[in-house]
Amino acid sequence: MLVLGIESSCDESAAAVVEDGRKILSNVIATQIPFHEAYYGVVPEIASRKHTEWILPVVKESLREAGVRPEGLGGIAVTSRPGLMGSLLVGLSFAKGLAWATGKPFIAIDHILAHLYAPHLENDIDFPYIGLLVSGGHTIISVVTGYDEFTVLGTTIDDAAGEAFDKVSKFYRFGYPGGVAIDRLAKEGDDRAFDFPNPSLHKGAHRYDVSYSGLKTAVINQLDQFRNPAYPKTNENIAASFQKAAIGLLVERLLRAVEDTGIKTVVAGGGVAANSLLRARLAAVPGLRTIFPSPVLCTDNGAMVAGLGFKFLERGDRSPLSVTASARVPGFRRRYP
Ligand code: KG4
Ligand code: ZN
């Protein structure tokens, strides 16, 4: 079955055609990065205006590359939550219109579940596994037991992982998107130059939670306090030391979850899953199977939406055309028993 997946929750206008949840026939991503770069962050009004301009050509191109006409599709999947309201509505309204006009089965998709599906596009993965979702908006460590079944172990109690990269980068003008710029700069730096503190919350109910606001404050406001005088204060050294602390925190919590549950497979998704240090650190853990999507499938894309859409359509799920967008999704703070 060929499924069209449409994604417009943030700043990528994206559409893809995927066969049977696995074979990517097209994956078109029109990135808005150049339009938000000057502001060092996504400007919601600019994002929704660009989606409005781009959605039709992006969807057309995805169908053209896949060599399929709308009549040949087995279903239409679209991100309906969470994300920027104006941006979500563009993709969702477009997808509803197309589904109504063609009479094709229609399914609304949760962006967080779609990110967790991304590694399934390229790998055979059995449940359960420890799912790590790290993006600009979310940081979730969970036990995943199905495509839409997961139990949250830990989240961030303040900033998301990607958000911390973005805020540090914005302050020091390292580049945009922040995670990409810091990952690149860090390769030239020495991570011993600054010894940033680890957050102290790690007990009781917060066993798997992360916190980034203290680290962010240390890097931005108290930089000199943590500097090792043997090293110069360069952008590269700041980036490398921050990245070591930010990724180290994540890896520590994740390995705690692996140890406690005895589940030895970690599957990652979301923009921060593209981080080279995160990949290297987890790959070096003996006895752990780590599965990361290709970098292009870590950040927002339509293929993950189409792939997950197939799984839901296949089992008979349908969304009514009355489904609406929602900016937030409640319930990500549930605890693993
Ligand atoms: O998944 P995504 O495209 O959008 C959201 O759903 O949020 O993730 C974007 C986030 C941004 O915060 C960006 O700075 C971060 O992913 N990011 C990275 C890297 N590439 C993108 N963070 C760390 N290292 C990277 N290589
Ligand atoms: Zn995303």
Side-chain angles (χ1 to χ4, degrees):
M1 186 205 287
L2 299 182
V3 176
L4 170 68
I6 297 176
E7 156 63 44
S8 72
S9 66
C10 192
D11 61 338
E12 322 285 356
S13 310
V17 176
V18 174
E19 186 174 2
D20 296 339
R22 207 42 209 269
K23 190 172 174 199
I24 300 173
L25 302 186
S26 65
N27 190 23
V28 178
I29 304 169
T31 180
Q32 300 182 1
I33 286 173
F35 300 94
H36 302 283
E37 202 163 14
Y39 309 96
Y40 266 81
V42 177
V43 183
E45 182 63 17
I46 295 177
S48 35
R49 287 179 190 214
K50 284 288 154 204
H51 286 308
T52 311
E53 278 174 42
W54 290 354
I55 192 76
L56 178 61
V58 163
V59 170
K60 273 188 167 167
E61 178 60 16
S62 72
L63 294 172
R64 196 194 62 77
E65 272 183 35
V68 59
R69 298 181 53 76
E71 306 84 72
L73 293 170
I76 295 167
V78 61
T79 304
S80 65
R81 66 180 205 176
L84 300 171
M85 184 50 95
S87 291
L88 284 165
L89 282 172
V90 178
L92 179 61
S93 308
F94 186 93
K96 283 185 191 178
L98 190 60
W100 182 75
T102 56
K104 297 293 174 187
F106 171 75
I107 187 89
I109 294 290
D110 184 309
H111 185 76
I112 291 172
L113 296 181
H115 270 304
L116 280 174
Y117 185 81
H120 290 268
L121 287 162
E122 303 172 303
N123 302 277
D124 291 318
I125 311 171
D126 293 330
F127 299 109
Y129 55 77
I130 302 291
L132 174 69
L133 172 71
V134 271
S135 69
H138 296 93
T139 307
I140 301 173
I141 296 173
S142 58
V143 174
V144 183
T145 46
Y147 296 114
D148 56 352
E149 271 176 44
F150 69 106
T151 311
V152 176
L153 297 179
T155 58
T156 175
I157 62 157
D158 39 57
D159 293 346
E163 193 179 352
F165 277 83
D166 293 338
K167 284 181 177 168
V168 166
S169 186
K170 178 176 185 175
F171 184 83
Y172 288 107
R173 293 286 188 250
F174 285 162
Y176 178 81
V180 178
I182 288 175
D183 199 350
R184 192 179 51 234
L185 272 176
K187 291 196 168 71
E188 313 295 325
D190 194 315
D191 63 16
R192 291 166 298 185
F194 298 87
D195 190 14
F196 294 122
N198 236 338
S200 55
L201 89 177
H202 50 69
K203 298 190 189 83
H206 292 297
R207 198 167 158 69
Y208 310 103
D209 284 343
V210 293
S211 162
Y212 281 108
S213 76
L215 174 61
K216 178 188 68 188
T217 304
V219 178
I220 291 176
N221 298 322
Q222 306 153 347
L223 189 66
D224 292 319
Q225 208 175 308
F226 297 102
R227 185 159 79 91
N228 180 334
Y231 295 88
K233 186 162 124 184
T234 61
N235 287 347
E236 290 79 3
N237 286 349
I238 297 171
S241 305
F242 162 72
Q243 180 170 268
K244 181 175 91 172
I247 297 298
L249 177 62
L250 217 47
V251 170
E252 188 206 285
R253 299 298 195 272
L254 199 59
L255 295 183
R256 190 175 277 180
V258 168
E259 193 163 307
D260 291 354
T261 60
I263 299 171
K264 300 250 183 298
T265 304
V266 170
V267 178
V272 184
N275 186 269
S276 57
L277 181 64
L278 176 64
R279 288 170 177 247
R281 287 272 327 257
L282 288 179
V285 179
L288 192 67
R289 181 181 181 216
T290 54
I291 303 168
F292 282 88
S294 305
V296 69
L297 296 174
C298 286
T299 44
D300 294 346
N301 64 86
M304 64 186 189
V305 177
L308 184 60
F310 167 76
K311 291 290 175 191
F312 292 165
L313 291 169
E314 189 189 30
R315 70 183 186 194
D317 292 8
R318 303 285 184 272
S319 298
L321 290 180
S322 59
V323 69
T324 192
S326 49
R328 302 207 163 273
V329 181
F332 282 123
R333 296 206 58 83
R334 279 172 297 123
R335 300 271 154 211
Y336 192 59

